[in-house]
Amino acid sequence: MKRVGVLTSGGDCQGLNSAIRGLAKGLYEYYGKKVEIYGIIDGYRGLINGEYRLMKPEDFSGILTRGGTILGTSRQPFKQMRVIDDETNVDKVAAMKKTYKDLKLDCLVVLGGNGTHKSANMLAEEGLHVVSMPKTIDNDIWGTDITFGFQSAVDIATHVIDCIHTTATSHGRVFIIECMGHKAGWLTLHAGIAGGADVILIPEIPYDIKKVIETVKARTKSGKTFSILAVAEGAISKDIAELPKKKKKEAIANMMYPSISYKIAHEIEEATGQETRVTVPGHFQRGGSPDAYDRFITTRFGAACAQLIIDEKYGFMTAMINGEVVPVPLSEVAGKLKCVPADSPIIRDAKSIGISFGD
Ligand code: F6P
C-alpha cells in the first residue's frame, strides 16, 4: 500500500482543489486501490497536531472548479518552526515528523508559497519524502515561470480595473486600484497592463510622487478627464526605499493611512485638485473559481507530482518552465524570491506605450 499525505499551506488561492484533484487522479490511475491519500487539515498546523483524514476517491470529484481548499489552510511562519512554544512546549518539527511516521507515509505533498517551501525543504532535509506544487497569486516563487492562482487573480484584478474605468470616466476622477503583493509586483503589473492603467507602481520600482503627479497632470492637459493607477500594496516611494532597513520598516509601520494607496491618493488630490478615490479588492483577488488557465496548469502540476511519487523521486517542486512541467529541487527553491526584474521586457513594453512607473 502506498500512503501519501497532502496539505495546503499559507494564503489560499484559486486552483488548490484542482491541483489536489490532478494529484489524486494521477495516483488512483496508477495505484488503483493500492494507494491511501491522507488529507492533512489546515496545512502544517494539522501535521503538527496530528489532524488528518483518510480521503476517499469521491472527495476529489467535482472540485475542479471549486475555489479555496477542501483541506483548509493556515499560516505557520517558517521562522517559528524551530521555536518551541512556551505555552504548549511543542517541538513542531518533531511533531510533524511523528505524524508522518505514525501515518507511515511514503510521501508528503505540499501545496504552498514561499514560506511553505522553506518549511517543505526543511522537512526534506529532516529526511521526509516531500514533493510540492507552487501556489500563490503573487507569482513570486523562484524556479517556476508561473505559480497557480496568479492568472485567476490577474483576471479578477483586471475586471476590477475595467469596472473602475467606467465610473472614473463618468466622474472625471483619478482612481487607484490597489492589488495584492507586498514584495512582488507581478499581479499589479499584469492586471495594470491588461486593464489599461496609466500608472503602475510596484515594490520593485520605487516611485517618485512628483513623477506620478506629472503623469496625471499631463493627461488632464491633453484633454483626458480621468486617470487610472494600479498600485501594489507593497509599492514604496523612493524616499522611503532609500532609508536604512530599520528606519524603512518604521516609516512603513507609522504611515498615517490605511495603506500606501490612500497616501498616494491624498498627495495626488492635493497637487492636482482632482477628486481621487481608492479601491482595494483585497482578498477578493484570491477567491472564487480558478480560471481555465489555472485549471489547466494545476491539473498538469498534480499529474506531475503523482509521477514523481510513482518514480520515488522526492525533494522536488513541480515547476513550469517554457511550457513544460519539470522538477526543480526544493533546496534551490527555498528562501529565494522571484521579483519583477528591473530589465523586464514587460516593463520595457509598458513604458514604450506610455505607462508610467513613477521612476
Ligand atoms: O501571499 C498571498 C497574499 O495574498 C499576498 O498577496 C498578500 O499580501 C497576503 O497574502 C495577505 O495575507 P493574509 O491572507 O494573511 O491577509
Side-chain angles (χ1 to χ4, degrees):
M1 182 65 74
K2 199 85 175 171
R3 296 160 73 96
V4 176
V6 55
L7 64 82
T8 54
S9 168
D12 73 340
C13 72
Q14 304 89 339
L16 283 164
N17 289 328
S18 49
I20 295 169
R21 170 185 173 271
L23 168 78
K25 278 186 169 279
L27 291 174
Y28 288 134
E29 191 66 25
Y30 184 81
Y31 291 109
K33 291 198 167 118
K34 293 202 174 106
V35 63
E36 281 179 351
I37 301 178
Y38 289 86
I40 314 290
I41 310 303
D42 294 345
Y44 288 121
R45 188 196 290 161
L47 198 61
I48 294 165
N49 297 339
E51 289 163 6
Y52 50 81
R53 67 192 159 94
L54 176 59
M55 309 292 283
K56 297 188 223 80
E58 50 271 35
D59 291 326
F60 303 103
S61 270
I63 62 168
L64 175 67
T65 59
R66 196 190 300 174
T69 160
I70 57 167
L71 301 175
T73 187
S74 64
R75 289 198 187 275
Q76 291 289 323
F78 173 70
K79 275 189 192 159
Q80 298 294 320
M81 279 298 194
R82 291 208 181 264
V83 177
I84 311 278
D85 219 49
D86 271 351
E87 266 174 40
T88 56
N89 208 24
V90 170
D91 178 336
K92 300 184 202 70
V93 178
M96 288 192 281
K97 286 167 76 175
K98 182 175 182 305
T99 304
Y100 182 96
K101 218 174 149 206
D102 288 351
L103 278 172
K104 297 189 183 68
L105 294 182
D106 293 290
C107 183
L108 175 69
V109 183
V110 167
L111 287 74
N114 280 302
T116 301
H117 275 87
K118 284 192 219 167
S119 299
N121 183 50
M122 177 192 72
L123 291 177
E125 284 174 353
E126 288 284 329
L128 308 194
H129 293 156
V130 182
V131 295
S132 75
M133 295 187 228
K135 160 246 71 156
T136 169
I137 65 165
D138 296 339
N139 193 33
D140 60 356
I141 298 183
W142 191 91
T144 183
D145 291 346
I146 194 149
T147 60
F148 67 86
F150 172 64
Q151 195 56 51
S152 302
V154 169
D155 291 350
I156 293 175
T158 304
H159 178 60
V160 172
I161 300 176
D162 289 348
C163 293
I164 291 299
H165 244 115
T166 62
T167 175
T169 320
S170 310
H171 287 266
R173 285 173 169 162
V174 177
F175 258 96
I176 298 180
I177 297 94
E178 183 175 288
C179 299
M180 275 189 161
H182 271 298
K183 292 187 179 145
W186 294 107
L187 174 54
T188 310
L189 180 62
H190 282 233
I193 293 174
D198 309 298
V199 178
I200 296 176
L201 304 181
I202 58 175
E204 294 89 337
I205 307 179
Y207 66 86
D208 176 347
I209 191 66
K210 287 193 220 96
K211 296 269 169 63
V212 176
I213 291 164
E214 264 169 35
T215 305
V216 174
K217 282 188 172 168
R219 280 179 57 79
T220 312
K221 211 171 163 200
S222 71
K224 307 215 173 97
T225 57
F226 71 95
S227 290
I228 300 285
L229 285 76
V231 173
E233 60 185 341
I236 187 164
S237 69
K238 277 191 177 162
D239 302 348
I240 307 271
E242 278 159 14
L243 292 173
K245 208 173 169 189
K246 202 171 159 219
K247 289 234 153 53
K248 184 159 77 180
K249 262 193 164 177
E250 277 169 17
I252 295 170
N254 296 335
M255 188 169 55
M256 302 296 287
Y257 299 86
S259 71
I260 191 67
S261 298
Y262 289 90
K263 181 172 192 290
I264 296 169
H266 180 77
E267 289 166 332
I268 293 174
E269 200 165 76
E270 265 208 344
T272 63
Q274 197 171 357
E275 277 188 316
T276 305
R277 297 281 192 268
V278 176
T279 292
V280 184
H283 292 78
F284 197 74
Q285 292 162 100
R286 289 202 330 224
S289 300
D291 69 1
Y293 184 71
D294 274 330
R295 292 177 210 175
F296 172 74
I297 62 168
T298 48
T299 303
R300 292 187 68 196
F301 281 143
C305 254
Q307 193 58 50
L308 287 176
I309 294 167
I310 292 162
D311 296 342
E312 299 186 351
K313 205 171 163 188
Y314 305 120
F316 290 92
M317 176 185 85
T318 52
M320 181 72 76
I321 300 177
N322 296 328
E324 291 292 333
V325 181
V326 293
V328 176
L330 285 174
S331 55
E332 284 181 24
V333 173
K336 294 186 200 137
L337 207 60
K338 184 189 72 182
C339 288
V340 179
D343 61 350
S344 160
I346 306 175
I347 296 192
R348 181 202 59 213
D349 294 345
K351 283 187 172 174
S352 78
I353 63 154
I355 297 175
S356 164
F357 285 80
D359 57 341

